[in-house]
Amino acid sequence: MARLFNKILVALPNDGEEAANIARAGLAIAKVHEAEARILNVITPVLEPSSPAIRFAAADTPIMSVAQVSEPTIQSRKAMIDDILKQYSPEMKADQTVRAGHPAMEIVSESESWGADLIVLGSRDRNWLERVLDPSVSREVVKKAGCAVLILPDASR
């Protein structure tokens, strides 16, 4: 009998406690389905001015550029994932990756390139202003993903 899920991508937020809850659920699903698991954390780079002076140049000259993500930041995210894996799934091997970029785009891109059958991620409890100013990552992933998506509620509710 074919398994429902063969590859499960577990997308973790930057909040350690919430990340642990999502990882625990995603890894438990992977264990039940005897699926491969990959843990993903996306670092959102900060936009910074591309020059000290304000430019009114041609449209092809960027006014803002994406700052490079520092190696210590990447290493701290990998350490967070390692800690979570040791605590919640010591017997299960899971790949891990840290990417920089827009979270929804990076989650969908990773799921497509890896061939995920399921994406597991969380959802934050947000007020109406936050929803207007900062669109939901989970909602974007649901719209753009080519596979099943499981959204876990915010555990602090």
Side-chain angles (χ1 to χ4, degrees):
M1 184 169 136
R3 294 182 294 188
L4 184 58
F5 302 117
N6 295 306
K7 291 184 172 185
I8 298 175
L9 179 66
V10 182
L12 301 184
N14 298 325
D15 176 336
E17 185 177 334
E18 185 182 355
N21 291 331
I22 293 167
R24 182 174 44 239
L27 292 170
I29 293 166
K31 188 173 182 178
V32 166
H33 289 274
E34 298 176 353
E36 292 179 56
R38 176 169 288 176
I39 308 295
L40 169 67
N41 181 252
V42 179
I43 301 169
T44 307
V46 177
L47 289 177
E48 59 184 25
S50 58
S51 78
I54 297 175
R55 294 195 232 179
F56 295 100
D60 62 342
T61 304
I63 294 173
M64 300 294 278
S65 63
V66 176
Q68 295 295 317
V69 176
S70 71
E71 188 60 30
T73 301
I74 293 169
Q75 293 307 318
S76 73
R77 298 295 170 81
K78 287 182 177 182
M80 176 188 77
I81 295 170
D82 283 339
D83 290 345
I84 289 169
L85 288 172
K86 286 176 192 167
Q87 185 175 3
Y88 294 109
S89 190
E91 73 283 350
M92 185 174 176
K93 186 178 183 309
D95 293 342
Q96 66 167 277
T97 187
V98 176
R99 294 177 72 153
H102 182 273
M105 291 172 51
E106 294 300 325
I107 291 166
V108 170
S109 175
E110 183 68 25
S111 74
E112 289 172 351
S113 65
W114 187 55
D117 304 303
L118 174 67
I119 300 170
V120 177
L121 71 161
S123 176
R124 295 183 305 161
D125 193 18
R126 301 156 16 127
N127 65 39
W128 69 272
L129 184 58
E130 289 173 318
R131 288 191 300 269
V132 169
L133 297 176
D134 186 19
S136 166
V137 170
S138 56
R139 184 168 289 166
E140 279 188 67
V141 170
V142 167
K143 284 198 270 187
K144 296 177 180 171
C147 64
V149 178
L150 173 62
I151 302 172
L152 302 172
D154 185 350
S156 64
R157 282 195 243 181

